[in-house]
Amino acid sequence: MNDAERAAALEAIAAEIRGCARCRLHAGRTQAVPGEGSPGTEVVLVGEGPGFNEDQQGRPFVGAAGALLEELLGTLGWRRADVFITNVVKCRPPGNRDPEADEIAACAPYLRRQLAVLDPALVVTLGRYSMATFLPGTRIGGVHGTVHPVDPASGARDALCLAMYHPAAALRATALRETLFADMAAVPPALQRSRERRAVHAGVEAATAEETATLAPPPAGDGEPPPPAEQMSLF
Ligand code: URA
């Protein structure tokens, strides 16, 4: 898929999200927030769910947490348009409460399809709910700043995942600010590691395809039936 095809596929998913009524969150939304960014990016950032400002504007991370996220990306020389930013749930939970399990489950196919289109090398989870989607059974206090393979069932077919605290957590507890900046500094090496892994996997796939082609039987040309199994020799 080229970038134009990816952009069109992402827009088709976004249009579905804007009309979605799969869970109770649709009833209270001003606008759904499908996500946005570069269709050709290698890096997808996944937050929790839209807050007040996001719900008003239909864009992810545009409030105070978004300003900190932009500052964090800036330390890498990146702008938000260089990555793709989305959330686990695409509609605002009322009063900014945590998303509930059935809401996350109802919204999961959208994230899965976005990831399948983007095929990122690196998924950065922002906060506990995003972390639980990609690294089930882990705790943010232990896993933040570390890198793990992503289950292809997530939609990201060959990616690594880096878990980070949610930027809003650092706005509430300033001691986490330094941790967030340190974890963001782990993004470029994680991306490089993932690129190398993907190159190895692509090489293995190409070699396997070549081997399969070599082993494929020649097409039957003269209509002769194949010999009975017991007469076939492997040597
Ligand atoms: N917090 C999130 O998790 N996502 C947003 O889009 C904004 C704030």
Side-chain angles (χ1 to χ4, degrees):
M1 234 192 251
N2 62 33
D3 283 1
E5 289 165 339
R6 281 203 186 95
L10 290 168
E11 183 43 45
I13 299 167
E16 274 184 54
I17 292 170
R18 290 188 196 103
C20 180
R22 285 188 197 168
C23 83
R24 65 187 78 79
L25 294 182
H26 84 279
R29 75 179 173 223
T30 310
Q31 295 188 61
V33 182
E36 65 183 25
S38 164
T41 189
E42 296 175 280
V43 182
V44 175
L45 274 56
V46 183
E48 200 157 292
F52 176 83
N53 294 291
E54 291 77 20
D55 174 72
Q56 293 289 308
Q57 297 183 37
R59 300 181 57 213
F61 283 95
V62 289
L68 179 52
L69 184 58
E70 286 180 25
E71 196 182 331
L72 284 157
L73 288 170
T75 62
L76 308 181
W78 294 355
R79 294 159 307 126
R80 56 186 289 146
D82 295 324
V83 296
F84 193 89
I85 306 176
T86 188
N87 284 302
V88 168
V89 295
K90 317 296 193 197
C91 295
R92 182 191 182 209
N96 290 353
R97 67 158 167 76
D98 289 338
E100 290 174 8
D102 62 331
E103 296 160 354
I104 293 173
C107 219
Y110 295 126
L111 179 57
R112 199 155 44 236
R113 287 167 58 199
Q114 288 173 318
L115 291 169
V117 170
L118 288 159
D119 183 22
L122 187 67
V123 174
V124 178
T125 64
L126 301 170
R128 283 181 299 136
Y129 288 88
S130 176
M131 178 199 72
T133 299
F134 293 93
L135 303 170
T138 57
R139 295 174 66 87
I140 189 75
V143 86
H144 75 88
T146 63
V147 178
H148 304 265
V150 170
D151 182 347
S154 69
R157 66 183 70 89
D158 190 358
L160 292 177
C161 168
L162 173 70
M164 289 183 54
Y165 280 97
H166 196 286
L171 297 175
R172 288 190 297 267
T174 48
L176 282 181
R177 223 183 119 84
E178 232 172 88
T179 307
L180 260 185
F181 279 84
D183 290 348
M184 189 53 94
V187 163
L191 176 57
Q192 186 53 33
R193 216 170 111 193
S194 186
R195 282 178 182 152
E196 287 162 12
R197 255 179 112 239
R198 284 163 65 94
V200 170
H201 297 167
V204 170
E205 267 170 39
T208 308
E210 199 177 317
E211 200 174 317
T212 308
T214 315
L215 290 174
D222 54 11
E224 284 265 318
E230 63 271 19
Q231 289 177 22
M232 290 174 96
S233 169
L234 292 173
F235 303 103

